[in-house]
């Protein structure tokens, strides 16, 4: 067995109506919190009220879109002006990533750009982040337990990461009641992101026994609950299981990396504004086909082949399922969840070279079970188009 390391948040709480505890939970971390939320102002007011009960002051920053350099700088300036000493991020992956970046930059000097991968210097954070509490309201990104945050640059037309072990939130509060109001489209895209994030780390060459356990259970949870959560939004048991699947995916990817799907996702999302989960859904079944074909041709002894077979068995609930059965299951799920094709967002084959050249530099590509050629990557994109 190869050596491995494992890390995650210091404390994870899973509890219905757990949000009501946020005042007491946050009090040990500081005196004034920057509350980062999405468009749901009522959530911010609830948090503010719970904080006031414990004598904790707050300021509010609203994230209305995916985090960008410009908007994140606005939030950071607000936190500094208000003398906030901790961050509470309550929302989807964009909100939590914004909160993590702000918390990191509160304790580190310089411009955000200098710490970013690909378009920046990739400079390492010198100091631990300010205390950060993450409260997800969607079930997809697992950002609450990851050590990176994705941020877009309109100038470079790409999404990149700020990455450091300092960025894992100290406290994660998972309240499934906060996910019940997710619209169908958000349930679909975030859920497919969660599914991808328990499959890619499972077949990654960096997988280890601990991430395997999270991935296996995450696949079981997502396979039986994503359709239910989509079809029956008020089904709290399905919402709970998808929130757990998302958490498990975040833990797995933070410790075993991802693969070609996420290698492409940041670039495609940055170029076309396609929701992250839609990109994952469009690429996932074709990534399995492409990887397995490459493995069979060049690395027949690679354990990832058997892992794709096991994943198919878990997803279909059939011990005799083939890898092809697993791919069909994913394709049928995407059809049920009404996932659009990339061409509907303006992608054309003429864009492939730029997409591939940018994606080959992405960190997630390093977790793929095999290095894919330019031609293989192009063929994968063509199938998803």
């Amino acid at each position: 067995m190869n050596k491995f390391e494992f890390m995650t948040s210091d404390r994870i709480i899973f509890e219905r109506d757990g949000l009501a505890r946020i005042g007491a939970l946050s009090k040990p971390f500081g005196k004034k919190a920057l509350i980062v939320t999405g468009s749901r102002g009522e959530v911010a007011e609830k948090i503010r009220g719970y904080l006031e009960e414990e004598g904790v002051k707050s300021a509010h920053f609203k994230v209305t879109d995916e985090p960008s350099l410009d908007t994140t700088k606005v939030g950071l300036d607000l936190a500094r002006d208000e003398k906030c000493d901790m961050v509470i991020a309550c929302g989807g992956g964009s909100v939590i990533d914004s909160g993590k970046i702000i918390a990191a930059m509160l304790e580190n000097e310089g411009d955000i750009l200098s710490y970013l991968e690909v378009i920046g210097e990739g400079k390492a954070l010198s100091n631990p982040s300010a205390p950060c509490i993450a409260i997800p309201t969607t079930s997809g990104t697992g950002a609450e337990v990851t050590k990176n945050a994705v941020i877009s640059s309109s100038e470079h037309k790409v999404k990149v990461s700020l990455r450091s072990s300092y960025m894992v939130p100290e406290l994660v509060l998972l309240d499934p009641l906060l996910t019940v109001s997710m619209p169908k489209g958000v349930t679909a895209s975030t859920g497919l992101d969660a599914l991808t994030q328990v499959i890619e780390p499972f077949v990654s060459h960096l997988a280890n026994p601990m991430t395997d356990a999270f991935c296996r259970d995450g696949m079981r949870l997502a396979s039986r609950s994503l359709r239910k959560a989509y079809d029956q939004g008020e089904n709290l048991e399905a919402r709970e299981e998808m929130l757990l699947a998302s958490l498990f995916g975040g833990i797995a990817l933070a410790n075993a990396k991802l693969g070609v799907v996420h290698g492409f996702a940041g670039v495609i999302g940055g170029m076309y504004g396609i929701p992250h989960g839609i990109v994952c859904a469009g690429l996932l079944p074709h990534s399995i086909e492409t990887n397995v074909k490459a493995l069979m041709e060049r690395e027949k002894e690679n354990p990832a082949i058997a892992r794709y077979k096991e994943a198919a068995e878990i997803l279909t609930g059939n011990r005799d399922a083939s890898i092809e059965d697993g791919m069909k299951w994913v394709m049928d799920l995407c059809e049920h969840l009404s996932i659009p094709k990339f061409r509907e967002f303006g992608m054309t084959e003429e864009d492939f070279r730029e997409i591939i050249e940018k994606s080959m530099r992405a960190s997630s590509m390093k977790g793929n079970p095999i290095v894919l050629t330019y031609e293989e990557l192009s063929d994968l994109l063509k199938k998803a188009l």
Side-chain angles (χ1 to χ4, degrees):
M1 183 186 298
N2 293 328
K3 67 177 183 178
F4 68 90
E5 296 183 16
F6 185 87
M7 65 176 295
T8 191
S9 298
D10 290 344
R11 188 178 181 190
I12 299 172
I13 298 171
F14 189 99
E15 181 182 350
R16 291 185 186 183
D17 201 27
L19 187 67
R21 297 177 56 191
I22 189 59
L25 290 169
S26 63
K27 192 172 183 179
F29 291 112
K31 295 181 178 179
K32 189 169 186 178
L34 179 71
I35 303 171
V36 183
T37 69
S39 56
R40 293 169 60 185
E42 71 276 9
V43 175
E45 288 306 308
K46 275 188 178 182
I47 294 173
R48 188 187 293 270
Y50 292 136
L51 294 179
E52 288 178 354
E53 290 174 5
E54 298 293 334
V56 179
K57 297 179 180 179
S58 63
H60 180 213
F61 176 60
K62 187 180 291 187
V63 177
T64 56
D65 207 344
E66 295 192 348
S68 67
L69 273 170
D70 293 337
T71 57
T72 306
K73 286 176 182 176
V74 172
L76 177 60
D77 288 343
L78 175 63
R80 286 172 172 163
D81 291 344
E82 292 286 339
K83 295 181 171 53
C84 296
D85 52 8
M86 64 172 156
V87 175
I88 299 174
C90 181
S94 297
V95 169
I96 292 175
D97 278 355
S98 296
K100 287 160 65 176
I101 293 172
I102 292 169
M105 294 307 300
L106 278 174
E107 298 295 335
N108 286 273
E109 296 180 351
D111 189 83
I112 297 172
L113 182 62
S114 63
Y115 295 94
L116 297 179
E117 299 174 348
V118 183
I119 62 172
E121 300 169 30
K123 184 178 169 184
L125 294 178
S126 301
N127 304 309
S129 300
C132 182
I133 299 173
I135 310 171
T137 60
T138 63
S139 302
T141 67
E144 65 272 14
V145 286
T146 62
K147 57 187 175 183
N148 72 297
V150 178
I151 187 169
S152 65
S153 168
S154 56
E155 178 185 350
H156 301 87
K157 293 184 179 180
V158 70
K159 294 180 183 178
V160 294
S161 287
L162 195 163
R163 193 181 307 271
S164 171
S165 58
Y166 286 146
M167 292 180 64
V168 181
E170 283 87 347
L171 174 64
V172 174
L173 178 58
L174 298 158
D175 182 348
L177 293 177
L178 295 173
T179 69
V180 172
S181 61
M182 270 193 293
K184 276 196 166 189
V186 177
T187 298
S189 63
T190 58
L192 287 163
D193 187 18
L195 177 63
T196 305
Q197 290 176 175
V198 289
I199 294 176
E200 285 202 302
F202 187 62
V203 300
S204 168
H205 67 93
L206 296 170
N208 66 63
M210 292 188 72
T211 59
D212 287 349
F214 285 104
C215 289
R216 287 187 176 104
D217 209 24
M219 283 188 277
R220 290 188 187 97
L221 291 168
S223 66
R224 71 187 182 211
S225 290
L226 180 47
R227 282 181 185 245
K228 287 182 185 177
Y230 179 80
D231 293 335
Q232 310 160 26
E234 298 296 320
N235 187 321
L236 190 54
E237 184 177 328
R239 293 295 191 183
E240 286 181 334
E241 292 202 339
M242 285 308 302
L243 191 57
L244 277 177
S246 176
L247 171 71
F248 292 170
I251 291 172
L253 75 88
N255 291 279
K257 285 192 178 289
L258 291 159
V260 63
V261 173
H262 280 80
F264 272 133
V267 174
I268 292 173
M271 289 177 65
Y272 303 98
I274 308 175
H276 179 75
I278 300 298
V279 180
C280 292
L283 293 170
L284 181 58
H286 308 299
S287 75
I288 297 172
E289 181 181 15
T290 301
N291 275 334
V292 170
K293 182 180 178 183
L295 289 164
M296 292 298 290
E297 289 176 352
R298 302 197 293 277
E299 297 182 17
K300 287 186 178 180
E301 302 304 315
N302 193 308
I305 297 173
R307 284 172 173 264
Y308 274 121
K309 170 79 164 60
E310 184 180 351
E313 293 169 5
I314 294 172
L315 295 176
T316 63
N318 176 10
R319 290 186 179 181
D320 297 321
S322 65
I323 294 173
E324 290 73 20
D325 292 331
M327 287 188 288
K328 185 179 184 306
W329 186 92
V330 174
M331 288 180 177
D332 289 346
L333 177 65
C334 290
E335 184 176 348
H336 184 84
L337 271 51
S338 302
I339 301 303
K341 294 290 187 180
F342 293 167
R343 67 172 68 92
E344 297 178 34
F345 296 90
M347 184 190 291
T348 66
E349 288 190 38
E350 286 71 32
D351 303 328
F352 284 6
R353 178 167 295 279
E354 180 181 358
I355 295 170
I356 293 169
E357 288 177 352
K358 288 181 177 179
S359 298
M360 290 177 83
R361 299 196 298 270
S363 174
S364 291
M365 284 290 191
K366 298 173 184 175
N368 205 55
I370 187 170
V371 177
L372 298 174
T373 65
Y374 179 93
E375 290 71 23
E376 288 167 337
L377 293 171
S378 180
D379 186 57
L380 196 165
L381 285 178
K382 192 177 296 184
K383 290 174 180 175
L385 188 60

